[in-house]
Amino acid sequence: MTRTTTIKTYVSRFQILILCSILLISLIITTLTTTTAGAVTGSIGGRPANPRDDNKRTRSIFVHTLNFGQSAKEGLLVVNNSDTKQTVNLYAVDGTVTSSGSLTCRQRVEDKKDVGSWISLSESSVTLEPGADQIVDFTIQVPNEKIDVGAHNGCMVIEPLVDDGTEGDSGGVR
């Protein structure tokens, strides 16, 4: 006689808190890898506006531990290290993990189903004079409903506009 055993797995609120922490830690990896590098090379960049003394990582990424339904207020410091006046669009998108394990950002046109939909920015674009910076406030609101188990990733995007007011890139053909 064969006996079948069913194993049920339950996720505790603590596990969800840990997962939300992972999500928020990785929230701005793209800002680190693209815009902070851009800030060094003389263009537009960004970083957390309110780093905490208790966590050195908050100098370059946003770190929060939030439970279901909780929110956090934050600020993104947008910096213009170029020699020209710059206008940029700002928005949040969901992140995803690549097959190699790296974080990448979903495209703006893709539906926001995760962290990208949890973020509300106070401004969707800013114009900065050469050498200027500006803090753009935003709120992270974790939903009340069930969140899937696993890491949740998101990205803040700082996208320059070109002279004709269209979204641009740093190269390529139009």
Side-chain angles (χ1 to χ4, degrees):
M1 182 173 187
T2 305
R3 181 178 232 182
T4 305
T5 304
T6 304
I7 299 174
K8 294 184 178 179
T9 305
Y10 295 94
V11 179
S12 70
R13 285 194 167 250
F14 178 74
Q15 289 169 315
I16 296 297
L17 280 171
I18 295 301
L19 293 172
C20 284
S21 296
I22 292 168
L23 136 83
L24 295 170
I25 287 171
S26 61
L27 178 66
I28 305 301
I29 297 267
T30 297
T31 301
L32 294 176
T33 59
T34 59
T35 58
T36 302
V40 172
T41 61
S43 63
I44 294 291
R47 64 180 179 269
N50 308 304
R52 298 189 322 253
D53 292 334
D54 68 329
N55 188 336
K56 290 181 182 180
R57 297 181 73 200
T58 62
R59 293 181 204 159
S60 56
I61 61 174
F62 299 96
V63 180
H64 293 280
T65 302
L66 301 171
N67 205 346
F68 298 111
Q70 289 184 322
S71 65
K73 296 203 179 287
E74 250 310 345
L76 174 65
L77 179 65
V78 182
V79 181
N80 180 1
N81 284 330
S82 74
D83 295 332
T84 60
K85 185 175 180 178
Q86 297 277 338
T87 299
V88 295
N89 280 336
L90 306 168
Y91 56 92
V93 296
D94 291 339
T96 188
V97 178
T98 66
S99 60
S100 66
S102 298
L103 174 70
T104 190
C105 301
R106 297 211 181 266
Q107 295 183 25
R108 186 178 197 174
V109 296
E110 294 181 76
D111 289 339
K112 295 177 188 176
K113 300 176 183 176
D114 206 46
V115 180
S117 66
W118 301 355
I119 296 174
S120 300
L121 288 139
S122 64
E123 299 180 59
S124 61
S125 69
V126 295
T127 300
L128 297 171
E129 295 294 328
D133 60 51
Q134 180 176 336
I135 295 175
V136 177
D137 296 321
F138 66 93
T139 302
I140 306 164
Q141 177 67 53
V142 179
N144 284 320
E145 58 269 4
K146 181 182 174 184
I147 300 169
D148 289 337
V149 175
H152 297 263
N153 301 305
C155 305
M156 298 285 278
V157 180
I158 301 172
E159 182 177 63
L161 298 179
V162 293
D163 289 340
D164 62 4
T166 61
E167 295 168 2
D169 55 58
S170 59
V173 179
R174 289 185 199 253

